[in-house]
Amino acid sequence: MDSLLSQILNDVKPLVGKGKVADYIPALSLVEAEKFGIAICSNDGEIYKIGDADLPFSIQSISKVFSLILAMEFYGDEIWTRVGHEPSGLPFNSLVQLEHEQGIPRNPFINAGALVVSDMNQSKFAAPDIAMREFLKKLSGNYSIQVDKKIADSEYEHRARNAAAAYLMKSFNNFDNEVEDVLYNYFCNCAIKMSCVDLAKAANFLANKGFSFITGKKVLTENQTSQVNALLATSGLYDEAGSFAFRVGLPGKSGVGGGIVAIVPGQFSICVWSPALNEAGNSLAGMAALESLTKHIGWSVY
Ligand code: DON
């Protein structure tokens, strides 16, 4: 595995730094475009890594997977009365379907869907941002995970589009709490910093029928785990979910911080990170690295 990772690093080197670091959140644009890391975590806890795999980065939309899982633990199937499980085929921050579909977002990974899930968590936890951090610390085994407050504040300052989605959903009675409170907690979750190793470990239960080798417990039932993986496969990369299935062939979730988590059911969890993004807002070198990895090992689930 280590020589395969060296080969992949070599293959994708020319692409590292190609694309554009996200700048619609100003504090996020300060990250160095040239970074690149991969971590693979096997279901028995073996870690394989290369490059900047231990460097914490802004997890951004990867947080949406974990806030969905927190909400699933409390609400079970009730979640699906407030958010759908269909791909949107549109960018992550699009608002066009929301008006037509009476404020019910297509899925929990587009921003509108993640905001509804955050609203549900806001109703259950006195401090949903702290609950989320504690959850990620337990799942990754890294108790030093923190939020980058500068990034959270920068997101809040430039919140107009997310605020528009949340207020529109409130007008359709699909939002219970104060919009501004939920927005800030959502941004705090997106602004959590974790490394590829942390994320590969934290997501490993998705490759292991819901069982976390770190906590020694089931995080989700087997059926719920399949549901999350199905959502990752169909909506985890938004309007690029089709290309991701075609090129990589695994359930996955990207973030505009340049991270992508991918799941090889029954075997491994993977996290790649490289901050420069393609046109759809997904890590350009990260996509290429995952494509090369799954082709070399024949890991596509399709
Ligand atoms: O709300 C936002 O726009 C960001 N905090 C998260 C967006 C994101 O990561 C989309 N993923 N590729």
Side-chain angles (χ1 to χ4, degrees), residues 98-154:
L98 210 49
E99 166 82 349
H100 287 296
E101 298 176 4
Q102 281 79 47
I104 306 290
R106 279 282 173 106
N107 65 68
F109 298 146
I110 52 173
N111 285 9
L115 286 165
V116 164
V117 171
S118 296
D119 180 52
M120 295 180 89
N121 284 335
Q122 186 91 21
S123 301
K124 287 284 175 200
F125 296 100
D129 56 331
I130 295 176
M132 174 76 159
R133 251 125 61 204
E134 293 309 309
F135 187 49
L136 286 171
K137 285 176 186 175
K138 266 197 251 158
L139 284 179
S140 64
N142 177 356
Y143 286 82
S144 62
I145 288 171
Q146 287 181 347
V147 174
D148 186 328
K149 282 278 180 196
K150 280 202 182 106
I151 292 182
D153 289 345
S154 180

Side-chain angles (χ1 to χ4, degrees), residues 24-25 60-61 64 92 111 155 162 186-187 190 238 253-257 281-282:
Y24 77 102
I25 303 165
Q60 292 297 318
S61 284
K64 294 168 179 174
F92 61 87
N111 285 9
E155 293 202 50
N162 281 317
Y186 162 79
F187 294 135
C190 292
Y238 316 107
K253 184 75 209 79
S254 60
V256 289
N282 299 315

Side-chain angles (χ1 to χ4, degrees), residues 80-93:
W80 311 115
T81 61
R82 296 194 48 193
V83 59
H85 29 62
E86 292 297 342
S88 68
L90 289 169
F92 61 87
N93 55 3

